[in-house]
Amino acid sequence: MSKTVLAIGGHIGDMDLTAGPTLTKMVLNGDRAILLACTYGERGHPRLSPDEYRVQKVREGEQFAADIGAEFRVLDYSDGFLPDDDEVANQIADVIRAEKPDIIITHWTKSIHRDHERAAALAERARFLAALPVDSPLGRHSVRQLLHADNWEDAEGFVPDFYVSIPDEAFERWRAAIQKQAFARGETYGFRYIDYYTALMSAKGCLVGTSRACGFMVGGDPTYQLADL
């Protein structure tokens, strides 16, 4: 039976890097994947204005999703200014009610980026709100599984307890897709994102006896942990 996974990131590109290989694997297995960015991430370029970079970020996010066979959404909030309130949580809850994901992937709760921390909190709050019996034409929906992705910027207290093996086909498709994002190539501030996450997958694979793997932390009630994605 196919599943739907909703990946909620603070900025366009966050979940593409951290959850992207797993989303690609799931799509190749016949599942549905949705990338939802809470902000445009438009203030992260040293040479382009936020308005210029916003257009580029949206285009890159759309292209990445298309390349791995996923869907792309972005909320209308600005990089660095993501509110932490029920208005935003209800927007995400409406996506959950409408799309009925089986799995949510989001940031870890501790980060050097406020938007990452707030996206994680909003995902948890939206998951709760979507399950309530409220007066909504979309009805209600309970998400059984919430996972926190491994991000070098969200490292405080992050200890993976759930691993997903990444086969060669999924890895190669993800790598080809993520190469089209300027920040991932290191063209903004020079960090070698693609090299880092490629090496991280190899390191996690060593821990679980596969060539590559992505590590996650399981969130929410452990009663609802899934054996596999």
Side-chain angles (χ1 to χ4, degrees):
M1 183 176 179
S2 65
K3 304 180 183 73
T4 296
V5 55
L6 173 65
I8 303 171
H11 317 97
I12 295 172
D14 288 338
M15 290 293 112
D16 310 37
L17 274 170
T18 59
T22 298
L23 302 181
T24 305
K25 174 185 176 176
M26 295 183 70
V27 169
L28 287 170
N29 287 341
D31 296 319
R32 180 186 180 208
I34 305 167
L35 286 151
L36 174 64
C38 293
T39 78
Y40 297 104
E42 78 279 17
R43 299 181 192 278
H45 201 292
R47 294 175 298 279
L48 298 180
S49 72
D51 286 344
E52 291 173 314
Y53 195 37
R54 182 178 65 248
V55 173
Q56 180 175 321
K57 289 287 283 184
V58 171
R59 183 173 65 247
E60 290 173 342
E62 291 172 339
Q63 185 63 60
F64 177 85
D67 285 350
I68 70 164
E71 300 167 36
F72 172 78
R73 316 278 179 82
V74 59
L75 302 182
D76 190 21
Y77 294 102
S78 185
D79 184 4
F81 295 92
L82 178 63
D84 183 17
D85 58 35
D86 274 356
E87 180 178 351
V88 186
N90 271 305
Q91 290 180 51
I92 299 172
D94 275 345
V95 175
I96 294 171
R97 294 180 185 111
E99 308 303 342
K100 299 179 170 43
D102 303 283
I103 303 160
I104 287 175
I105 302 176
T106 190
H107 293 279
W108 176 230
T109 57
K110 304 291 184 182
S111 179
I112 64 175
H113 283 307
R114 186 180 71 168
D115 288 341
H116 290 197
E117 292 184 338
R118 291 192 169 187
L122 289 163
E124 288 271 18
R125 177 63 174 163
R127 181 190 186 197
F128 171 77
L129 292 173
L132 294 178
V134 297
D135 185 17
S136 169
L138 299 172
R140 61 192 292 198
H141 178 70
S142 297
V143 182
R144 290 178 56 84
Q145 180 71 76
L146 187 141
L147 299 173
H148 300 284
D150 193 351
N151 187 318
W152 77 272
E153 296 157 314
D154 308 345
E156 182 183 345
F158 185 90
V159 181
D161 53 11
F162 186 98
Y163 293 86
V164 177
S165 64
I166 305 298
D168 290 346
E169 183 181 4
F171 170 74
E172 295 298 342
R173 181 175 293 191
W174 166 80
R175 188 174 175 87
I178 201 68
Q179 289 277 359
K180 298 176 183 178
Q181 298 203 28
F183 88 99
R185 295 192 301 267
E187 293 180 12
T188 53
Y189 291 100
F191 186 81
R192 292 157 49 201
Y193 286 98
I194 297 173
D195 287 346
Y196 176 86
Y197 286 101
T198 295
L200 186 65
M201 278 186 273
S202 294
K204 299 305 183 189
C206 292
L207 298 178
V208 293
T210 65
S211 59
R212 299 181 190 88
C214 290
F216 298 89
M217 282 187 72
V218 177
D221 188 338
T223 303
Y224 297 116
Q225 291 184 18
L226 298 182
D228 192 6
L229 295 184

